[in-house]
Amino acid sequence: MRMLINVPETVVADALRGLAAAHPELNVDVDKRVIVRRDAPVPGQVALVSGGGSGHEPLHGGFVGPGMLSAACPGEVFTSPVPDQMARAAAAVDSGAGVLFVVKNYTGDVLNFDMAAELAEDEGIQVGKVLVNDDVAVTDSLYTAGRRGTGGTLFVEKIAGAAAAEGQPLERVEAIGRRVNDNSRSFGVALSACTTPAKGSPTFDLPDGELELGIGIHGEPGRERRPMMTSGEIADFAVDVILEDMPPRSPVLVLVNGMGATPLLELYGFNAEVQRVLRERGVAVARTLVGNYVTSLDMAGVSVTLCQVDEELLRLWDAPVKTPALRWGM
């Protein structure tokens, strides 16, 4: 096993200590596993809380800061955080305007966030929720009932976070987050399996010369396995699957997201192919983001997310944001 770690048991704690040292604008509680923006709670603003298993960095801790999340709760690798973490995060960031939970549609996340909402409401905190289920690859997977939450999570957290920063009320921030999710679709492709620190070996078998179409961010099986395809062929397949599910009526945001081990040289080349396919299909592109944002440890691969936007959603996307992994306008 070749990993830049000490021992598997301390991987998450070690990473959180490193995050704290690199970003003093965050309060990082290593023991309780909660990451909070240092200026929280912000008076008059709805707070956004998200979280999930570690191994998908920079999701979610890298998106804590002005214009995006107020707090994030990292679980163990590929394991949901527990309700106490989320309730503790909600209490730390609530200004009285309420808290919005952003939850990826994985069974453990959904159950634990629901329990956390009950705990928070018992303490008098008003809670809303957005369930992200943007992945069109499969209807159900090993970890979900219904579609998985993947790259669309970034769009929800950024756009809803901007609405909260404007001082919009909880009901409105929640409605905007749900609208973003409803207008987002994703499809992922794996070129190699990922390796969890605890297992020390690939999580699934992907023979040389093959790829998995429709993979999940935990290595869940996709739609089918094929011999290796060119970047252009993969872009044609992935974009067409998304457009079949969501024929766009308006311009789209594009996220070309690396799964952790694919270099930017390849991601930008793949983005060129995605843009080609969208032009050929008559789809207008409003903005494009390329990089590693919703990863799967050391998996080689890529996902594409499209989000239809109107003037309001595009304005909120362009609004200032300042987090470790996403920042502009400040």
Side-chain angles (χ1 to χ4, degrees):
M1 181 173 64
R2 295 182 180 180
M3 289 184 174
L4 198 63
I5 65 173
N6 293 314
V7 294
E9 293 78 12
T10 66
V11 165
V12 176
D14 292 344
L16 291 176
R17 282 195 292 271
L19 178 70
H23 296 284
E25 71 274 18
L26 303 178
N27 282 327
V28 181
D29 190 322
V30 176
D31 295 327
K32 294 182 172 61
R33 304 290 173 89
V34 177
I35 304 164
V36 178
R37 52 185 285 187
R38 189 169 290 277
D39 60 350
V42 180
Q45 285 189 17
V46 171
L48 268 69
V49 174
S50 193
S54 296
H56 306 303
E57 289 74 19
L59 189 80
H60 294 273
F63 297 143
V64 175
M68 212 161 177
L69 294 178
S70 306
C73 304
E76 291 297 325
V77 173
F78 291 178
T79 303
S80 172
V82 298
D84 284 350
Q85 283 176 265
M86 305 159 191
R88 188 177 292 113
V93 299
D94 178 42
S95 69
V99 174
L100 180 68
F101 284 163
V102 179
V103 187
K104 300 188 302 302
N105 188 33
Y106 293 94
T107 301
D109 289 13
V110 172
L111 292 174
N112 287 348
F113 268 101
D114 283 347
M115 286 188 279
E118 293 178 5
L119 294 173
E121 288 168 346
D122 287 344
E123 297 299 319
I125 299 172
Q126 186 181 4
V127 178
K129 184 178 78 171
V130 175
L131 184 67
V132 184
N133 57 353
D134 55 303
D135 182 22
V136 300
V138 295
T139 301
D140 299 293
S141 76
L142 298 176
Y143 298 88
T144 65
R147 289 179 167 177
R148 302 172 291 210
T150 56
T153 312
L154 183 151
F155 290 145
V156 171
E157 292 178 354
K158 170 62 184 76
I159 293 174
E166 289 184 345
Q168 299 197 38
L170 177 59
E171 295 78 9
R172 179 65 179 155
V173 176
E174 181 179 15
I176 287 172
R178 291 185 175 185
R179 180 149 56 101
V180 174
N181 176 68
D182 290 344
N183 284 284
S184 297
R185 301 290 189 277
S186 296
F187 191 88
V189 179
L191 309 181
S192 73
C194 58
T195 300
T196 62
K199 189 171 187 288
S201 59
T203 55
F204 62 96
D205 177 46
L206 186 59
D208 290 342
E210 294 188 3
L211 53 74
E212 184 91 20
L213 294 166
I215 198 73
I217 57 174
H218 306 97
E220 308 99 303
R223 287 192 172 193
E224 61 180 291
R225 191 166 286 186
R226 288 189 181 183
M228 187 61 197
M229 301 158 66
T230 67
S231 177
E233 290 168 340
I234 295 171
D236 279 312
F237 189 97
V239 173
D240 282 345
V241 168
I242 291 172
L243 296 182
E244 286 170 7
D245 194 88
M246 182 191 69
R249 304 176 303 278
S250 56
V252 297
L253 303 176
V254 178
L255 171 62
V256 171
N257 171 67
M259 302 304 290
T262 302
L264 279 171
L265 179 71
E266 296 177 30
L267 292 179
Y268 278 117
F270 182 72
N271 179 55
E273 297 297 337
V274 169
Q275 302 290 330
R276 170 189 60 79
V277 178
L278 292 172
R279 284 195 305 271
E280 291 174 354
R281 306 300 186 268
V283 179
V285 174
R287 303 285 188 273
T288 300
L289 186 64
V290 179
N292 289 284
Y293 294 101
V294 184
T295 63
S296 184
L297 292 170
D298 59 342
M299 181 187 289
V302 66
S303 64
V304 180
T305 304
L306 304 182
C307 176
Q308 294 187 95
V309 290
D310 54 21
E311 289 184 5
E312 180 186 32
L313 296 187
L314 184 58
R315 176 181 62 79
L316 293 170
W317 173 256
D318 287 339
V321 60
K322 188 178 181 182
T323 71
L326 204 68
R327 57 179 61 202
W328 57 69
M330 286 189 174

